[in-house]
Amino acid sequence: MSRQFANTAACSLIDEEILKKAVFEQTLHDQAKSIAKTEGIHFDEVLKIRLEYKHIVKIDHLWDFTSLTRLDLNNNIIERMEGLDSLMNLTWLNLSFNRIEKMEGLESLQRLELLNLSNNRISVIENMDGLEKLSHFFIANNLLGQLDNVLYLRKFKNLFTLNLFGNPVSKENYTFFIAAYKGLNCTDLMSNELLKTKNEAAVKYHYIIEEMRHNELQKQQADDAEQSRKAELQSHTDAFVEFLNGAHLFNSMFNDDPEAETIQSVTGVDHLVRTYPLFLAFSSMQHQMVELCMKLFEIGLAEHKRRQTEVNSFFSGQTRAVTDHQQKASQILAKFEQQHQERIVELHQLSDPDKLKVNLSQYNDDISQLCNSLMSLEYQLANQLEDIIEKLDINISDMVSNFTETVQGIYPFSQSLEDIYNKNIREIADATLKKVATESPEDDMPEEVKMLFSDKDSVMDALVTGHDNHLLKINDRETQLVARVSAWKVSLIKELEEFQ
């Protein structure tokens, strides 16, 4: 009944005039009203505002209400939840008795504790993930028809009061399910019924709830494992050695090799790999390549730790220098302030113009001396910070240089392994080509392999191209690592100098 007036009343928009009138009438006492008339109303200081029964169709013009904690927009004709982004301090939001069909626009309301959306046209509970502090949620008399809407609310650990009365889902006796899962206070249950409901629900939904909790635990464990994996990968990336703790580089050499894919696409090549020493050469190269990568990976982590220790030491030294400067400046100012008070008293007591002139001159000298002392102190701090940054630059440069030399010393071994592997595979290919050319291959060699090795130029071209691709992969990874660590050093020193 409270919504029917909207069908005949004229629609209105939230504008500055409506907001000023509401704030003026609702939140200001008599003395404040007289001040507001003279100096204006500061929206950013308003804590509560009621805009109900005003035929409002759209939420707007609230961007200045950054301190607002309570907003009542009930009994209007609002169709969309919008314009709430700046209300980051809001704890109470009442949008009941409107025409809202979709829950949205709540991302910024992370402090919200009470949300009232009763008597709207909402069919799905959604887009509430950021409302971790929500304790009271009213969404009675809407169009919620699925039990999944109730299940969505399980994530809200602080949710204490819930009202879903008047929704199609309430026909499924959702209160039993909620009571079984967690101790929510369903306001459409009388308090004397609540305990009985909880006991009955615990029996009825025992197995369903246990399965849900088991699934949630598995999901949480999977999420935790993924977060841990991402954090570990980030630490490896920060050390510039991501994906070097395993066979990733080796696998990328062959997985991204189009010539190898062409050869391997022929049925029977697996037979060739297993039958001839190529398999041993391949396995040996893989094993040694992984060992080299692991060595570089461990060195990279250790070097990253050393660099971080040096940077942390710099910031500690910088903080000490600034703190010492502030203490000395405060002492100088305190001493001057004391002298200033004494000088003021002395000046007030003087009546002789000549003596007053002399004292004023001396006072001006004291002020000049104060300025010089503070400027000298500032100059000393600037020089001290320059020395600290220069020392950091030298130390970090040495670390980066040493790490770069280590990297450039390890990667050639990978290139040598590729050269050895290529030599072995060429020898095997030559032998196979001769056997196929002389029509004396092994009896169990597949026909596809014989056909592949009947064209010597194609085989040798594929091997040369594959070898070049493998070396390019190794060189690219080395170049990338060296370039990134050098760029990091330059960026670090530049940021520190700009900060100073």
Side-chain angles (χ1 to χ4, degrees):
M1 180 177 66
S2 57
R3 298 172 62 189
Q4 299 304 318
F5 77 92
N7 296 326
T8 57
C11 300
S12 63
L13 300 175
I14 298 178
D15 56 22
E16 189 170 349
E17 181 179 352
I18 289 178
L19 293 171
K20 284 184 177 180
K21 183 178 179 181
V23 173
F24 191 80
E25 293 176 350
Q26 299 168 22
T27 63
L28 299 178
H29 53 76
D30 294 339
Q31 184 179 1
K33 287 181 180 179
S34 62
I35 297 175
K37 288 180 180 179
T38 306
E39 301 180 0
I41 298 174
H42 299 286
F43 288 158
D44 59 347
E45 298 177 0
V46 176
L47 299 180
K48 301 179 182 179
I49 189 170
R50 301 193 313 275
L51 298 170
E52 67 268 26
Y53 296 101
K54 295 188 181 299
H55 324 304
I56 294 171
V57 297
K58 181 179 179 180
I59 305 173
D60 202 359
H61 280 80
L62 296 176
W63 44 78
D64 290 329
F65 288 80
T66 53
S67 299
L68 199 67
T69 60
R70 175 167 176 166
L71 174 61
D72 290 287
L73 281 164
N74 52 290
N75 293 279
N76 285 291
I77 48 178
I78 298 169
E79 296 183 352
R80 289 194 61 188
M81 298 174 65
E82 58 184 343
L84 304 170
D85 296 343
S86 61
L87 310 182
M88 294 179 289
N89 289 303
L90 203 65
T91 61
W92 176 299
L93 177 60
N94 186 354
L95 285 167
S96 60
F97 293 95
N98 278 285
R99 297 179 178 180
I100 298 170
E101 297 182 358
K102 179 180 177 61
M103 294 182 62
E104 56 187 338
L106 298 169
E107 294 80 9
S108 300
L109 310 184
Q110 297 181 6
R111 297 186 179 183
L112 198 65
E113 298 175 6
L114 183 145
L115 176 61
N116 191 347
L117 295 173
S118 297
N119 295 83
N120 278 282
R121 302 170 181 177
I122 298 170
S123 59
V124 178
I125 298 177
E126 58 184 338
N127 300 321
M128 294 174 57
D129 294 354
L131 308 184
E132 296 181 359
K133 295 187 177 182
L134 190 68
S135 58
H136 298 76
F137 183 37
F138 305 95
I139 192 165
N141 298 314
N142 275 273
L143 304 177
L144 304 176
Q146 301 295 326
L147 190 60
D148 289 347
N149 289 288
V150 180
L151 302 182
Y152 177 80
L153 299 174
R154 292 172 298 160
K155 65 181 68 178
F156 300 101
K157 307 302 181 183
N158 296 316
L159 189 59
F160 175 75
T161 302
L162 173 67
N163 189 350
L164 289 165
F165 182 79
N167 285 280
V169 71
S170 62
K171 297 177 182 179
E172 301 182 29
N173 202 1
Y174 75 93
T175 53
F176 267 57
F177 192 84
I178 294 175
Y181 188 78
K182 62 183 297 184
L184 290 178
N185 179 16
C186 302
T187 58
D188 45 323
L189 271 181
M190 298 298 292
S191 58
N192 57 356
E193 299 177 6
L194 189 56
L195 181 59
K196 179 181 177 181
T197 300
K198 289 182 177 180
N199 292 335
E200 293 177 359
V203 176
K204 182 175 180 179
Y205 292 104
H206 173 74
Y207 293 106
I208 296 177
I209 297 300
E210 286 300 316
E211 182 179 1
M212 287 171 47
R213 285 176 174 159
H214 175 70
N215 292 338
E216 285 183 348
L217 178 61
Q218 286 187 323
K219 183 178 183 303
Q220 183 62 48
Q221 291 174 341
D223 291 343
D224 292 344
E226 178 64 14
Q227 290 296 324
S228 177
R229 185 194 68 79
K230 288 182 178 179
E232 183 179 49
L233 176 59
Q234 186 59 53
S235 68
H236 298 170
T237 303
D238 293 341
F240 312 108
V241 291
E242 70 276 11
F243 303 121
L244 289 180
N245 56 331
H248 182 272
L249 176 59
F250 177 83
N251 292 336
S252 69
M253 290 165 52
F254 290 88
N255 294 340
D256 300 336
D257 182 1
E259 298 300 332
E261 291 176 2
T262 300
I263 296 177
Q264 292 171 3
S265 65
V266 181
T267 305
V269 170
D270 287 343
H271 162 87
L272 181 68
V273 173
R274 291 192 303 269
T275 305
Y276 290 94
L278 178 59
F279 175 72
L280 296 178
F282 184 87
S283 299
S284 175
M285 178 188 177
Q286 181 184 38
H287 177 72
Q288 294 180 70
M289 181 77 78
V290 170
E291 282 189 343
L292 286 174
C293 288
M294 283 300 301
K295 180 180 179 181
L296 183 56
F297 173 78
E298 292 170 358
I299 292 174
L301 291 183
E303 287 297 312
H304 174 62
K305 186 176 181 179
R306 288 183 61 214
R307 293 193 298 270
Q308 285 300 112
T309 300
E310 187 66 28
V311 172
N312 292 339
S313 176
F314 162 79
F315 282 115
S316 297
Q318 182 190 57
T319 301
R320 287 193 301 270
V322 172
T323 301
D324 182 61
H325 166 269
Q326 291 172 339
Q327 289 176 348
K328 291 180 179 178
S330 297
Q331 292 171 359
I332 293 173
L333 288 170
K335 182 179 179 181
F336 175 82
E337 181 64 23
Q338 182 180 0
Q339 294 175 345
H340 167 71
Q341 295 298 333
E342 295 173 354
R343 185 79 66 181
I344 291 296
V345 172
E346 184 179 350
L347 289 173
H348 280 297
Q349 294 175 349
L350 290 176
S351 58
D352 186 338
D354 293 333
K355 290 184 178 181
L356 183 61
K357 184 178 180 180
V358 171
N359 280 33
L360 285 175
S361 176
Q362 186 176 354
Y363 188 41
N364 287 331
D365 291 340
D366 291 342
I367 294 175
S368 298
Q369 184 178 356
L370 171 66
C371 293
N372 291 334
S373 297
L374 293 177
M375 288 295 294
S376 176
L377 196 61
E378 191 74 16
Y379 181 74
Q380 292 174 16
L381 175 63
N383 287 337
Q384 189 175 357
L385 292 179
E386 285 181 3
D387 292 341
I388 295 175
I389 292 177
E390 183 179 357
K391 179 182 178 183
L392 176 69
D393 191 358
I394 293 173
N395 292 342
I396 289 293
S397 296
D398 288 342
M399 292 179 184
V400 169
S401 178
N402 292 335
F403 182 47
T404 300
E405 290 177 3
T406 301
V407 170
Q408 293 171 337
I410 289 178
Y411 270 106
F413 287 103
S414 299
Q415 296 166 348
S416 297
L417 290 175
E418 165 60 25
D419 290 339
I420 294 172
Y421 170 77
N422 181 66
K423 179 182 177 183
N424 290 335
I425 195 173
R426 287 176 67 92
E427 291 176 353
I428 295 169
D430 283 337
T432 305
L433 285 167
K434 291 178 181 178
K435 291 180 180 179
V436 171
T438 58
E439 297 182 355
S440 59
E442 283 78 359
D443 294 337
D444 59 345
M445 181 179 291
E447 289 298 323
E448 292 83 354
V449 177
K450 295 178 183 177
M451 292 179 60
L452 176 66
F453 280 84
S454 62
D455 186 348
K456 179 178 180 181
D457 291 339
S458 296
V459 172
M460 301 311 293
D461 287 345
L463 293 177
V464 170
T465 303
H467 179 52
D468 291 340
N469 290 337
H470 297 169
L471 291 177
L472 183 62
K473 278 285 183 181
I474 295 172
N475 291 335
D476 284 349
R477 187 64 179 92
E478 176 188 356
T479 302
Q480 180 192 81
L481 195 161
V482 172
R484 283 170 57 201
V485 69
S486 298
W488 169 83
K489 191 267 292 187
V490 172
S491 176
L492 172 67
I493 301 303
K494 182 179 179 181
E495 288 178 7
L496 293 176
E497 289 176 343
E498 290 177 351
F499 172 77
Q500 181 189 1

